[in-house]
Amino acid sequence: MYFLGLDIGSSSTKASILDAATGKSLASTHYPKSELAITAPQAGFAEQQPETWWECVKQACAELFALEQVDAQKIEAIGISYQMHGLVCVDKNQQVVRPAIIWCDSRAVEIGEQAFNQLGQQKCLQQFLNSPGNFTASKLKWVKENQPELYQQIDKIMLPGDYIAMKLSGDVTTTSSGLSEGVLWDFENNQVATDIIKHYGFEQSLIPTLVPSFGEQCTVSQQAAKELGLRAGIKITYRGGDQPNNALSLNVMQAGEVAATAGTSGVIYAVTDKNVYDEQSRVNTFQHVSSTTDNNANGVLLCVNGTGRLFSWLRSIVSVQGQQVDYPHLNELAKDVAIGSDGLSMLPFGNGAERVLQNKNIGGHIQNLDFNRHQLGHMVRAAQEGIVFALKYGFDVLKDMGVSSQVIRAGKGNMFLSPIFVEAFVNSCQTTVELYQTDGAEGAARGAGFGLGYYSNRAEMFKGLELCAQYEPEAAKVDAYANAYHNWQQLLQQSI
């Protein structure tokens, strides 16, 4: 028996096949091999075509099912992970009305801030655990105000993962966890956020049918089966936004457990059993996928938009002897640069408005660049230290909320492949870091097995997940990173 996991990202779609009995990944792939384009019709806008995500799913599955060791007929359940906070609008024929407004789009900041004040800040924080901010509900309000002719065509709104589930099954559904990430869930009354819907003037009929995060949500249709090379009737049994799903993939399911990612954006995600919120809305609380009516579980999410994006930008503009260099080569150039990058500091905030900065869009900054002292290696280290310091800045907010941990789990990928990044992260945050060989697609496959009922507890669900590295703070380096962080904080305060 196999489980199929799909991870619908803004860069690519990943797909993984999990062997149910061993808990091991049989095969995985991603499509496309280069990053998907993000369209920006205006400054601060970020859009993608949902149909492109579906094409990526088809291509990724075709690659997987062509492998000799994979028999697609053995797939019994599908799990879906997806880029959070996006807005997908479809008409009565399930046709896309306009391009999806994705997670890093900042057009609705002002709309969300206005609603925060009009509804009442305390009311929003107590009921929704967040400001309406730049989330899905506010993005829909932007469409209503600026594209009324398109708004009138909308029959249902969805998150990106809901759209893929619709393409797989023909059913339009969503989850309470998904609605919470759109600030469309009322935690106080455990229901759809009718106060937000009324304030923005939406029709409640726009909200799809609710299904649980784990359990039979829908089944693969004849049409989708034909397009993908699957059996019709396979159950879709799990759905979660990319950060709750990343936490799940790392066995972060209960209060006191913390996960981290550092891809295009960087996230620290702490699970709590309390309905907690940050008074300044610098971090956000969403319903975790493991939450049930009997066991409350929320994920407090710190996000830095410009994490890996800063490092990829740096790589894209430099070359050595006319050739673009890879990430290991960049790290090699920086390995002998001292902690603090010889006074060079960088702010990684050049990828849109940042929640941790209260939705300010201050852009990226470089300070103290000395043409006579600093080389490319200094830039590489300063970039990675700046990313880590931005995450630490938010991690301190989590600590103030009482939801931090002495151990953080992460997948061995993206920025966590960099020895410089890991060293800076461990010693700046002063926490143990455990790295696991897993990813969002594998996590979604495990979730599918749990949602199907094949796995009945955490021990069974994560039996194939193995720790591959563990890092501890080093006393000799903690103070040096603290000094570098202090200098970075001064640059941040000047820039804000």
Side-chain angles (χ1 to χ4, degrees):
M1 184 186 296
Y2 298 161
F3 304 130
L4 171 64
L6 301 172
D7 184 12
I8 315 303
S10 53
S11 298
S12 68
T13 287
K14 302 179 183 69
S16 182
I17 296 284
L18 193 78
D19 182 271
T22 65
K24 298 286 188 180
S25 177
L26 284 179
S28 61
T29 190
H30 70 277
Y31 188 89
K33 304 309 177 186
S34 57
E35 288 193 9
L36 282 174
I38 295 175
T39 304
Q42 297 181 35
F45 285 24
E47 299 181 346
Q48 289 182 323
Q49 293 288 352
E51 295 94 337
T52 301
W53 305 332
W54 180 239
E55 287 302 315
C56 290
V57 167
K58 291 195 290 186
Q59 293 295 333
C61 285
E63 286 186 20
L64 274 186
F65 302 162
L67 297 174
E68 186 177 345
Q69 70 269 32
V70 173
D71 181 356
Q73 298 306 304
K74 293 183 178 180
I75 295 172
E76 293 293 333
I78 299 172
I80 302 169
S81 169
Y82 59 90
Q83 49 172 302
M84 296 172 71
H85 316 305
L87 172 66
V88 180
C89 305
V90 298
D91 63 18
K92 290 181 179 180
N93 297 315
Q94 298 186 358
Q95 298 301 303
V96 173
V97 170
R98 68 172 323 283
I101 303 176
I102 66 170
W103 62 276
C104 54
D105 186 292
S106 56
R107 75 184 71 184
V109 170
E110 189 174 320
I111 289 172
E113 186 63 25
Q114 187 177 55
F116 192 36
N117 293 322
Q118 290 175 344
L119 282 164
Q121 295 188 8
Q122 201 59 37
K123 174 184 174 68
C124 287
L125 293 175
Q126 287 180 346
Q127 284 189 235
F128 320 127
L129 307 186
N130 300 289
S131 161
N134 188 42
F135 296 109
T136 310
S138 299
K139 291 169 180 173
L140 180 61
K141 177 64 172 176
W142 184 93
V143 175
K144 188 174 189 291
E145 288 184 349
N146 293 274
Q147 299 175 332
E149 71 288 353
L150 295 180
Y151 180 83
Q152 291 302 317
Q153 298 175 36
I154 301 171
D155 180 62
K156 290 289 185 288
I157 63 166
M158 291 178 282
L159 285 305
D162 302 334
Y163 173 80
I164 296 302
M166 182 196 77
K167 295 295 290 185
L168 282 167
S169 67
D171 297 333
V172 182
T173 59
T174 193
T175 65
S176 54
S177 177
L179 290 180
S180 77
E181 74 187 60
V183 191
L184 285 164
W185 187 253
D186 184 335
F187 286 83
E188 196 170 57
N189 298 298
N190 199 35
Q191 64 179 27
V192 174
T194 54
D195 288 347
I196 289 280
I197 290 172
K198 289 177 182 177
H199 179 78
Y200 279 156
F202 302 151
E203 299 77 15
Q204 183 131 356
S205 61
L206 292 175
I207 306 298
T209 301
L210 281 173
V211 294
S213 294
F214 294 102
E216 186 174 338
Q217 300 176 346
C218 47
T219 59
V220 174
S221 67
Q222 292 283 354
Q223 176 62 35
K226 183 179 178 181
E227 291 186 61
L228 294 175
L230 289 169
R231 287 183 296 105
I234 295 173
K235 297 176 180 178
I236 292 92
T237 56
Y238 166 70
R239 197 180 316 170
D242 52 10
Q243 297 309 326
N245 178 74
N246 176 69
L248 175 142
S249 71
L250 295 163
N251 195 8
V252 171
M253 302 283 281
Q254 294 182 332
E257 297 175 336
V258 178
T261 57
T264 302
S265 63
V267 167
I268 297 178
Y269 185 95
V271 180
T272 176
D273 55 7
K274 306 288 194 304
N275 285 348
V276 296
Y277 54 84
D278 174 42
E279 292 281 358
Q280 300 179 53
S281 293
R282 295 164 296 177
V283 299
N284 302 99
T285 304
F286 305 118
Q287 188 184 90
H288 193 33
V289 290
S290 62
S291 187
T292 66
T293 53
D294 297 325
N295 294 290
N296 189 46
N298 294 322
V300 185
L301 186 153
L302 153 75
C303 180
V304 176
N305 289 343
T307 302
R309 185 68 186 92
L310 168 57
F311 203 32
S312 66
W313 170 82
L314 182 62
R315 176 176 175 260
S316 72
I317 64 169
V318 300
S319 63
V320 175
Q321 296 180 341
Q323 298 293 319
Q324 189 178 57
V325 298
D326 58 19
Y327 293 118
H329 190 121
L330 289 177
N331 284 326
E332 186 68 20
L333 293 173
K335 70 175 185 178
D336 294 325
V337 176
I339 296 169
S341 307
D342 196 12
L344 186 63
S345 290
M346 297 180 70
L347 299 182
F349 302 123
N351 197 29
E354 294 282 1
R355 276 170 273 165
V356 75
L357 303 181
Q358 296 178 286
N359 279 324
K360 292 184 176 70
N361 188 352
I362 67 171
H365 292 251
I366 302 173
Q367 187 182 57
N368 296 330
L369 179 61
D370 187 319
F371 301 144
N372 299 311
R373 297 196 340 257
H374 294 136
Q375 305 296 321
L376 179 55
H378 293 86
M379 293 282 288
V380 172
R381 177 174 272 279
Q384 295 192 55
E385 288 180 347
I387 294 164
V388 166
F389 295 157
L391 291 169
K392 173 181 164 46
Y393 181 80
F395 190 49
D396 288 344
V397 175
L398 297 183
K399 287 181 178 179
D400 291 341
M401 295 171 65
V403 291
S404 63
S405 174
Q406 294 303 306
V407 178
I408 294 178
R409 297 174 188 163
K412 190 177 181 182
N414 298 314
M415 294 300 299
F416 280 101
L417 291 171
S418 165
I420 294 171
F421 179 86
V422 172
E423 177 192 283
F425 188 90
V426 168
N427 289 287
S428 296
C429 296
Q430 296 184 50
T431 181
T432 298
V433 169
E434 296 177 350
L435 297 183
Y436 294 83
Q437 199 69 55
T438 188
D439 61 22
E442 183 178 315
R446 292 187 191 280
F450 189 73
L452 186 66
Y454 181 86
Y455 302 130
S456 60
N457 55 54
R458 287 177 75 179
E460 292 179 359
M461 186 177 177
F462 296 102
K463 60 187 171 185
L465 182 66
E466 296 180 1
L467 177 68
C468 56
Q470 180 171 306
Y471 300 89
E472 305 283 349
E474 301 175 59
K477 296 179 179 179
V478 167
D479 288 344
Y481 278 108
N483 289 333
Y485 178 65
H486 175 74
N487 294 334
W488 182 91
Q489 274 187 302
Q490 289 183 318
L491 171 58
L492 176 62
Q493 294 307 312
Q494 293 168 12
S495 303
I496 292 176

